[in-house]
C-alpha cells in the first residue's frame, strides 16, 4: 500500500546492536530506511554495518536513501520554530520530510514575542504547501503562522520549558485550542509524525490533481 | 488571502438575534456564510432575514452558498464514525467540508469492536484524498483507519462516553498517541476544524500539482 | 492603609437582598463602592436602595463613585481582547479600573490569527503604562502584546472555549509559560484582579517618582 | 484458601539479599515461589541460595516450581501485544500464568495499524479461554481483540510511549473506555496481575463446571 | 460469534422514540434485547411497542428474554456493594447478569468501615464463581473482598461521593492499585460491563471444562 | 508557645555540613533537636559535632533528647502499616512521636487483603488514644482501621506503588474519601506531620482534662 | 463501640421521604440522630414525623438530641472561617460538633489578607483544645492559625472560588502542604468529618487523662 | 524599543561553550548581559572570555554591567521568601532586578506559620514600590504580604516541597486564588520573570509620572 515510503525504526529503548541489526536487515531489502531518536552509539553501530547510511546528529536521525529510486519532488513545505531549544524537534521533522521526498524550507528563530521576525518570512511561508510549526512553552506560534498562510499547519508541541509547561502539556493544550482553523496537532516532540503527515498530504494531493 | 472561503460564525454563546444580524451582514457582501453550533432558535432568526440560507439540523450548521461562484470540486474525502452518538460531530465535519467545496463520502457505523464493517469499506476509503475520523470513548478508530489508507487522517475526539472518558480526554490522548503515523488531531468535538484542515490540504495540494 | 480605594463586594453566591444591604451600608460611609459579578436582579435590589449607583451590564459591575473626592488621574492603561466572547471579562477589567481612577483605552477584536489588527493598534499600546490582555482558548495574545510594548502585561485567561480548553486551563497554562518576560497572570476570568493590580502599579509608581 | 498458588515476592525496592532471603524461606516450605520485577542482581542472589530456581530475564521473573505437585492444566489463554517495547510486560504475564498452571499461547507483533496481522491470528485467539492484551501508546488493541473473541479480555496498559502518553495514562483511559464490553483493566505495566486474574477465572470456571 | 447473547442498546442520549424503535426492530428478530441507562420515558415508549418487555427501575434496564431459548444456568456470582447510593450501579450489574443467564446473589450494605457485615457474608462469597464489587468514595471494598475469595473480582468504581472523589476518579485509582491480585476494573458506573465480563468468564470456563 | 517541643530540621536539600551546623547550634540551646529526611552522610556530619545525637536509619531521623527534662508520658498511640515498603514512613512517624514524648505501639504487616492480621490486633488498637495509618497503593487501610477504633485516625498516604498509583495520589484521594468519619489526612509520605498532630492532640487533651 | 455517638444520615441524593423514614426509625431507638446535607424539603418531611427534631438551615443539618442522656462537656474547640461564602461548611462543622457534645466557639470573618482580625482572636484561639479551619480559594488560613495555637488544626477545604480554584482542589493542595506541622486535612466541604474527628480527639484525650 | 535593558540568555540546556560564546558576542556590543540558570561550568567558560563578568552562585546568574551607562535608580522593591529552600529563586529575582537598575531589599525567613517575623518587617515592606514573594509548599505568603502593603505583589511559586506539592502546582494554584487582590503570578521558579515585570512596572510608572 505504501510503496516508496521508507521503513522507520524507533530507536529509543533499543540497544545499538538491535538498531543496527534491524537497520541492516531492512537495508538489504533495497528500500529507504530511517531510524529516529537515535544517539551517537546507535549511529556507530549502524555505520559499521550499512556503508551508505548517514547521520543527522541534531535531528538524531539515521537515514539511508533508496538506491536507483526516482526521487519524488513534493512540496515545498516550511518547518518553523522559535529558538535553539526547539531545534532538535524541528530538525527531526525537516530531515524525515526530506527522506520522504519533500523539499523543506527551514525558518528558525521566529518567536511570537518579536513579530517582525516571523513577518519578515511571509514570502517563504506563502510558497509552502504545508507548514510544520514546532513550539514549546506557551505554544502560540502555530496560531500566528496559521493566520499568515492559506495552507494546513501541523503543530508540534515540544517539551521545552519548565514549571507550568508540564513537559509540553501547556503547548499541547494551546495548539489544540488554536483560534486559527487550519491548525492540527501531533504528539509532544513528534517531529517525525508531523513530517509523515505532511508527506501524506502532498502525496494524496498529487494523486488527486 | 483566503479568497473563496466562507465567513464562519461560531454561534455558541451568541443570542439568536446576534447570529442572525451577523449572518445577514456577511450575506450582504455576496460570499458564502456558515454558522456552526447553531440551534433551532438561531436558525429561526436567520431564516427570517436571509432567504436562501439552509439548515442542517443534525450538524447544527446554517449555511449560505456563494451565488454565481464556480464550485471548486475538491476531494473526495471520507468522514468516518462509529455510531449514532458521534454523528453530530461527523455531520458538522461533512457539512462544513461540502460548503468548502469538497466532495464527501460518509462512512458511519464502523466501530473497532466489529472490524468487518470497517474492512468492508476499504474501497471507499482508498478513494479518499483525506479521511476525517470522529470517535469518542477510547478513540481507537483513527489508528485502525490510519493503517488502511495512504492518506492523511484527521482525528476528531468526541465528548461521547462517561466516567473515565472525562469529556473526550481519553479519546484525545488516544489519538495523540496513535501508532499510525499519518494521524493528526484537532480539539474535542471540533468537526468544523477537521473539515477546514482537510479543505486546506486539498487546496494547497491542488495548487502544488 | 488603602485610603481612596473603593470597597468591593463579590456578588456571586449572595442573594440580591444581601448585595443591596451590604452595598447600602458601605455607601452610607461615604466612600466609593463596587459590586462585581452582579446580575440584573442584584442591580434592581441595589438601585432601590442607593440612588446614585450605576450598572454596567456587560461587565456585570455595580458602582458608586466617591462624592466630593478628587479623581486620581492615573494611566492610561490599555485593556485588550480578541473577540466578543472575551468582552465581559475585559469590560469587568476596564470598568473596575475606571472606578479605581485609571484612564482606560479599550482595544477589542484583535486576535493572533489576524496580526494586522493588533499591529494597527501599536500606537495606542505604546501610550499605555500597563496593558491588561484577556484571552480564552489558547491564550496567545499576551505573548504577542508583550513583545509590542515596554510595559507590564497583566494576562487574564478566560473560560471561553470548549473541549481541551478545560474551562480556561489551556489559556492559563499558556500565559504562565509566556515567552514575553513582561507578562504576569491572574486567575481565570478575574478581570477585577487585573484592574486592581494595574491600579496598584500606577499608584506605587506615582508615589515613587 | 489459596492452596496450590505460589507465594509471590514483589522484588522492586528490595535489596538482592532481601529478595534471596525471603525466596529461600518460602522455598523451604516446599511450595512454588515467584519473584516479579527482579533484575539480574536479585537473580544472582537467589540462585546462590535456591538451586532449582529459574530466571526469565525478559519477564524479570524468578520462579521455583512446586516439587511433586500435580500440574493443573488450565487454559489455554493467549497473551497478545503489539511490539518489542511491550514484550517485557507481556512476558511477565505469560511466565506468571505458566507458573500458575495455565497453558499460554503468545501472539506478538500485532498492532492495530496493520490489521492483517491480528486477523491472521483469529484461530489461535478462538481457542483461548481468556486473552491478556498488553498495549502502550493509545492502547487500542484490547478493543480490537475484544471484538474478535467470545472470551474475557484482560487489558494491561503499558508505560510505553512518550509525550501525551503520560506514562501509560493514555492507554489506561483508552482501555477503561473500550467499546468492546468484554474488556477489563488492571494497573499500568501489571502483567503479574493480569496473569493472576486469568488463572483465577479458569480455576473458578473449572470448579463451577 | 456471540450466539445467545442479547443485543444491547445504550439508551443515554437517545430519544424515547429512538430507543423504542431500535428495541422493537431487534425484538422482531426473536432474540433477547436489553436497553441500559433507560429512564421512565424510554420505558413507556418501549412497552407501547414490545409487549413482553420488562422494566427494572432501580437498574434503569429494559429487558426482553429470548423466547423458547434454553436458559443457560451459569454462576452463581455475587454482586456486592456498600450502601444505598451504589445500589443503582449494582442493580445494573445484577439485572444484566441475569439476562445473560447468570445466577446472582446480591450482598448489599457491607462497607469496609464495619467489617463484621462483610465477614458475616463469607459463606455466600465462597460459593461465587466471580464477584462484582461496586464502590464509590475511596473504593476500598474490592481489595477487602478480593482477600476473602478465591475467585476473580470485577471492581466497578461508582461516581458516588463529593469533593476529592472527583466523580469516581478516587475509587477508580484505588481499585487499579488494589493490593489483592485477583482484582480487575471496568469504567466508572459501568455495571453493565462488569456483568458482561463475568458472563464471558463463566461461558469460557464452561467451554473449557 | 511550644515549650518542650523539639526544634525540627528538614534535611532534604541541605548539605551534610548545613544540617550539622544547624543541629549543633540548636543543641547548644539545650533543648531537644530532630532532623528528618536525613541520610547516612548527614548523620556522619552531625555525630562529629553533637556527641549525644542518635540515628534511626530506617526512619532517616537524627534525634537528640532534651537533657534533664522530665519526659511527658503521653499516649499510647498505634502506628500501623501494611508491609515492608511503607516501613520507612511508618518509622518516621513512630520515632518522631517518641521524641515528642508519646508511647508508640507498632503494628506492621497488616494489609486489607488479609483481614485476619488486622483483626488479630484489635486489642492493641483499642488501647490507642490515636492511630497513625501509613499506606500506599490504594490506601484502604485507614478506612478499615477507622471502623475498628473509637479514636482519631491520622492517615499518611505513601508514594509506594507504580503506574496509576501516581506517586501516592491514588492513596491520598482514597484516604480523603474515607467512609470512616474519624479519618484525617496529611501529605504523602509525611510521617513527621502525622506524629506531630498526634502529639498535639494528646497534649491538648491532657490540658483539657 | 461508639456508645453515645448519634447516628448520622447523609441526606444528599436521598428523597425527603427516605430521609424522614430513616430519621424516624433511628429516633425510635432513643438515641441522638443527625442528618447532614439536608435541604428545606427534607426538613419538612422529617419534622412531620419527629416532633423534637430541630433544623439548622445554614448548616443544612437536622438534629435530634438524645433524651435523658447526660451531656458530655468536651472542648471547647474553635471553628474558624474567613467569610460568608465558607459559612455553610463552618456551620455544618459547628452544629455537628455541638450535637457530639463539644462546646464550640465560632470565629468568622478572619481572612489572611487582613491579619489584624485573626490576631485579635488570639485569646479565643488559645483556649481551644482543637481548631477547625474552613477556607476556600487559596486555603491559607489553616497555616496561619496553625502557627498561632498549640493545638491540632483540622483543615476543611471548601469549594468556594472560581477558575483555578477547581472546585476546592487549590485549597485542598494548599492545606496538605501546610508549613504548620499541626495541620491535618479532611475532604472538600466536609464540615461533618472535621467535627467528628475533633470530637474523637477530645473523647480519646479524656479517656487517656 | 527596550533601550537600556540587558540581553538575557537562558543557560539551561545550553553547553558551557554555547553560553560563553553567546555571552561574549552580546558583551561585544557594549550593553549589559545576563545569563540565568547558569551553573559553575557555564561560569568558568564565560569568565575565560569576558573579564568583567560576575557570578552570583546562589542565584545561578552570570552578569555584566553596562559600561559608562548612567544607572537608573528605580525602586526600591522588596524580595520576600520564607526559608532557605526558596532562597535560590528569591536570589534569581533579586540579582536580576539589581541588574535591571532596581534597588532591592531582601526579606528572608518570614513564613506564615510564624507571623511575628513578617509583621516585624512591616516598615521595610511599606517602603517597597513592588514586592516579589517567592514561596513553595502551600504558597500562602503572597496573600499575607498582599494584605500588608499598598503595592503590587508579584508571586513566584517555587518547586519546593514534596508529595502533594506536585512540583510547585499547589503553590501556583494557591497564588492564583489569592484573596489579596493585588497579587499576580508568574511561572513556577521564575524569579527572572518576576524581576523583569517589577522593573517594567517601575519604568512605566517613572515615565507616566
Ligand atoms: N465549531 C467551531 N469550533 C471552533 N472554531 C470555530 C467553530 N466555528 C467557527 N469557528 C471559528 O470561530 C471564528 C468566528 O468566531 P466568532 O467571531 O466568535 O463568531 C471563525 O473564524 C472560525 O475560525
Ligand atoms: N508485579 C507486581 N505488581 C503488583 N503486585 C505484585 C507484583 N508482584 C507481586 N505482587 C503482589 O505483592 C505481594 C507481595 O508483596 P511484598 O510482600 O512486598 O513482596 C504479593 O502477594 C502480590 O500480590
Ligand atoms: N456530610 C457528610 N460527609 C461525609 N460523610 C458523611 C456526611 N454525613 C454523614 N456521613 C457519613 O455517611 C454515613 C451515612 O451514610 P448513609 O447511610 O448513606 O446515610 C454516616 O455514618 C457518616 O459516616
Ligand atoms: N530564567 C528564565 N525563565 C524564563 N525565561 C527566561 C529566563 N531567562 C531568560 N529567559 C528568557 O529567555 C530568552 C532567551 O532565551 P534563549 O534565546 O534560549 O537564551 C530571554 O529573552 C528571556 O526572555
Ligand atoms: Mg483547529
Ligand atoms: Mg501521529
Ligand atoms: Mg513571564
Ligand atoms: Mg468494558
Ligand atoms: Mg490487581
Ligand atoms: Mg473523613
Ligand atoms: Mg502538616
Ligand atoms: Mg488576585
Amino acid at each position: 500500500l505504501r510503496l516508496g515510503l521508507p521503513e522507520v525504526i524507533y530507536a529509543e529503548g533499543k540497544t545499538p546492536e538491535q538498531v543496527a541489526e534491524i537497520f541492516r536487515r531492512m537495508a538489504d531489502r533495497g528500500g529507504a530506511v530511517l531510524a529516529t531518536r537515535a544517539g551517537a552509539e546507535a549511529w556507530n553501530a549502524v555505520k559499521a554495518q550499512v556503508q551508505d547510511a548517514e547521520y543527522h546528529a541534531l535531528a538524531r536521525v539515521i537515514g539511508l536513501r533508496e538506491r536507483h529510486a526516482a526521487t519524488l519532488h513534493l512540496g515545498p513545505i516550511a518547518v518553523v520554530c522559535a529558538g535553539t531549544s526547539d531545534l532538535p524537534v524541528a530538525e527531526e521533522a525537516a530531515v524525515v520530510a526530506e527522506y520522504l521526498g519533500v523539499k523543506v524550507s527551514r525558518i528558525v528563530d521566529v518567536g511570537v514575542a518579536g513579530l517582525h521576525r516571523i513577518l519578515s518570512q511571509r514570502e517563504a511561508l506563502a510558497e509552502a504547501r504545508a507548514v510544520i510549526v514546532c513550539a514549546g512553552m506557551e505554544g502560540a506560534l502555530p496560531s500566528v503562522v496559521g493566520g499568515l498562510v492559506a495552507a494546513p499547519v501541523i503543530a508540534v508541541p515540544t517539551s521545552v520549558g519548565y514549571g507550568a509547561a508540564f513537559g509540553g502539556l501547556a503547548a499541547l493544550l494551546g495548539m489544540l485550542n488554536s483560534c486559527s482553523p487550519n491548525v492540527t496537532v501531533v504528539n509532544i516532540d513528534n517531529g517525525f509524525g508531523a513530517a509523515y503527515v505532511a508527506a501524506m498530504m502532498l502525496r494524496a494531493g498529487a494523486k488527486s490533481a
Side-chain angles (χ1 to χ4, degrees), chain A residues 128-176:
Chain A
R129 296 296 164 250
V131 185
I132 293 171
V133 184
C134 306
M137 300 174 73
E138 84 266 58
L141 196 53
S143 292
V144 167
V145 171
L148 297 174
V149 300
V153 171
I154 304 162
V156 190
T158 72
S159 54
V160 168
Y162 61 87
F166 293 128
L169 179 64
L172 171 63
L173 293 182
M175 292 168 178
L176 286 167

Side-chain angles (χ1 to χ4, degrees), chain A residues 30-177:
Chain A
V33 186
L34 283 176
T36 65
R37 309 279 166 117
E41 287 167 23
W43 165 230
N44 286 332
V46 169
K47 83 175 160 199
Q49 302 224 8
V50 184
Q51 210 109 34
D52 298 345
E54 290 170 306
Y55 188 49
H56 307 264
L58 185 54
R60 306 185 75 220
V61 169
I62 305 171
L64 178 74
R65 279 169 216 288
E66 201 169 346
R67 253 162 288 180
H68 316 298
T71 314
L72 268 178
H73 285 297
L74 295 164
I77 66 167
V79 174
V80 180
C81 76
T84 39
S85 314
D86 297 325
L87 266 182
V89 177
E91 271 303 296
E92 186 183 278
V95 168
V96 169
E98 288 170 344
Y99 275 96
L100 295 171
V102 179
K103 231 183 110 197
V104 175
S105 146
R106 285 160 173 85
I107 301 178
V108 299
D109 203 25
V110 289
V112 297
L115 286 179
H116 55 282
R117 290 179 295 182
I118 185 73
L119 291 174
S120 74
Q121 299 285 348
R122 250 182 302 192
E123 228 160 290
L125 286 171
E127 275 168 31
R129 296 296 164 250
V131 185
I132 293 171
V133 184
C134 306
M137 300 174 73
E138 84 266 58
L141 196 53
S143 292
V144 167
V145 171
L148 297 174
V149 300
V153 171
I154 304 162
V156 190
T158 72
S159 54
V160 168
Y162 61 87
F166 293 128
L169 179 64
L172 171 63
L173 293 182
M175 292 168 178
L176 286 167
N177 287 286

